[in-house]
């Protein structure tokens, strides 16, 4: 019998057999009829235990075979057990199996995402590195004029600055995707948040003669990480400036209600091309009218920062023209 492979079961079986033989022998010495009755009772008792153990071990064997099939490629595990400790064990194994399958699927997706990320990063760095190599070759020419040397030096410095910006952005993306950013939410006035987000872009706004309109209750506040949220809003502002005509209007407005706090940023430019609209938040995506200095990661970075703080970021075109970006932080997510 298979269940006798279990040392405890074997010990129990032989102990029970010894006690049964002892009881039968004792009763036969006292009275033959009592010995026969004791023998029949012990046989029935032993048969009952045997049938019970055989059924239990069949269920355990079935459970073992199903787990073995799952481990060898069968992704579906169907466990059937009645009430009792075996049913509890089956239920826990089923939960563990589902969790392991989810983790396996998650690891597979992360592996694919990592491979895609490395490919994207390599592609983004290859272009400036190729340009730097070419500039280096030109600068090594002995007959190069001083004016051309200065032009190439400026281009070299600009390219190095661009690579430094790209690497900084890639490091931020890596931190966000690795869930290693420790957000420190604190109460801040939304008007102050938007004003601070505009500061780095005052000169570009002035150069393009753009008008900024800031609308909303000056007393409205929001509990978020100010530094990272400014980074996100700044990327959206940068996108609006790059895709707006000279003399256009940039509008930043906000409002609060019982459900959420909404911040909108809109421009009066040409808007987002219908083919680009579904992809503008994808990393390294560059639309038809992308800016020459754009890396295609600003809006992706902005969405990651906002969603990781429990918010949402969407984009659409206005009927009057221009793009409209909407940020929402829901009240139940902020508690």
């Amino acid at each position: 019998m298979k269940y006798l492979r279990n040392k405890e079961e074997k010990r129990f079986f032989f102990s029970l057999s010894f006690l049964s033989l002892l009881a039968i022998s004792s009763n036969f010495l006292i009275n033959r009829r009592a010995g026969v009755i004791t023998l029949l009772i012990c046989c029935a008792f032993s048969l009952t235990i045997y049938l019970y153990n055989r059924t239990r071990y069949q269920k355990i064997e079935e459970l073992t075979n199903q787990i073995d099939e799952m481990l060898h490629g069968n992704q579906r595990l169907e466990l059937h057990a009645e009430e009792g400790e075996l049913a509890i064990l089956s239920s826990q194994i089923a939960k563990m199996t589902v969790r392991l399958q989810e983790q396996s699927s998650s690891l597979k997706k992360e592996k694919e995402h990592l491979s895609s990320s490395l490919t994207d990063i390599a592609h983004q760095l290859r272009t400036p590195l190729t340009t730097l190599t070419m500039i280096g070759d030109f600068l090594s020419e002995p007959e190069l004029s001083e004016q051309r040397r200065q032009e190439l030096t400026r281009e070299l410095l600009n390219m190095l600055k661009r690579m430094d910006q790209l690497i900084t952005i890639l490091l931020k993306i890596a931190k966000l995707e690795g869930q290693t950013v420790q957000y420190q939410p604190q109460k801040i006035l939304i008007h102050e948040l938007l004003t601070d987000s505009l500061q780095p872009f005052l000169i570009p706004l002035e150069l393009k003669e753009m008008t900024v309109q800031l609308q909303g209750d000056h007393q409205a506040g929001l509990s978020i990480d100010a530094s990272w949220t400014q980074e996100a809003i700044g990327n959206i502002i940068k996108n609006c400036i790059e895709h707006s005509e000279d003399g256009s209007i940039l509008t930043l407005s906000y409002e609060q209600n019982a459900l959420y706090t909404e911040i909108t940023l809109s421009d009066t430019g040409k808007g987002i091309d219908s083919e680009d609209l579904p992809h503008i938040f994808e990393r390294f995506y560059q639309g038809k009218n992308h800016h020459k200095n754009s890396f295609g990661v600003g809006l992706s970075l902005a969405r990651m920062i906002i969603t990781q703080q429990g918010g949402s970021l969407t984009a659409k075109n206005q009927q009057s023209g221009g793009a409209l970006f909407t940020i929402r932080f829901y009240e139940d997510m902020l508690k």
Side-chain angles (χ1 to χ4, degrees), residues 32-79:
R32 183 179 178 84
R33 182 177 294 180
V36 172
I37 294 173
T38 304
L39 175 63
L40 293 175
I41 292 174
C42 287
C43 288
F45 186 63
S46 298
L47 180 62
T48 302
I49 293 177
Y50 167 74
L51 292 175
Y52 169 76
N53 282 339
R54 189 181 69 171
T55 303
R56 188 177 63 166
Y57 271 82
Q58 284 177 346
K59 292 179 180 179
I60 293 174
E61 185 177 6
E62 181 184 352
L63 176 61
T64 304
N65 290 334
Q66 289 186 34
I67 294 173
D68 185 67
E69 289 179 8
M70 186 274 295
L71 292 173
H72 288 83
N74 183 7
Q75 295 300 314
R76 297 187 63 185
L77 181 63
E78 298 180 0
L79 302 174

Side-chain angles (χ1 to χ4, degrees), residues 4 12-13 22 28 40 241 248 327:
L4 289 181
F12 172 74
F13 174 78
L22 184 62
F28 265 110
L40 293 175
I241 295 173
S248 57
I327 301 171

Side-chain angles (χ1 to χ4, degrees), residues 182-322:
Q182 298 294 325
Y183 294 103
Q184 298 178 347
Q186 55 183 350
K187 194 76 173 181
I188 183 174
L189 296 176
I190 303 176
H191 184 273
E192 181 181 333
L193 173 69
L194 296 178
T195 302
D196 291 341
S197 300
L198 280 167
Q199 287 298 318
F201 305 99
L202 293 180
I203 294 177
L205 287 166
E206 185 177 350
L207 291 174
K208 297 193 75 169
E209 299 180 348
M210 293 180 64
T211 302
V212 178
Q213 296 179 350
L214 190 55
Q215 305 169 352
D217 181 6
H218 284 212
Q219 301 303 315
L222 185 63
S223 182
I224 50 172
D225 187 299
S227 177
W228 279 102
T229 307
Q230 285 177 24
E231 171 94 16
I233 294 174
N235 287 335
I236 300 173
I237 293 172
K238 180 175 179 291
N239 184 84
C240 291
I241 295 173
E242 290 176 350
H243 295 85
S244 296
E245 303 291 338
D246 292 354
S248 57
I249 301 173
L250 174 65
T251 303
L252 289 77
S253 62
Y254 55 95
E255 61 179 3
Q256 289 182 312
N257 56 42
L259 297 177
Y260 54 80
T261 298
E262 181 177 275
I263 301 173
T264 60
L265 300 92
S266 61
D267 58 59
T268 55
K270 297 179 180 179
I272 306 167
D273 191 275
S274 57
E275 294 182 7
D276 297 330
L277 192 56
H279 308 286
I280 61 170
F281 293 111
E282 295 178 7
R283 188 178 51 187
F284 299 121
Y285 180 82
Q286 293 183 327
K288 295 180 179 179
N289 301 317
H290 70 274
H291 194 270
K292 62 180 182 179
N293 292 324
S294 173
F295 296 114
V297 293
L299 294 180
S300 173
L301 191 65
R303 172 173 272 189
M304 290 174 66
I305 293 170
I306 291 169
T307 54
Q308 286 186 9
Q309 294 186 87
S312 66
L313 172 61
T314 58
K316 66 177 182 180
N317 288 315
Q318 302 181 95
Q319 293 183 349
S320 57

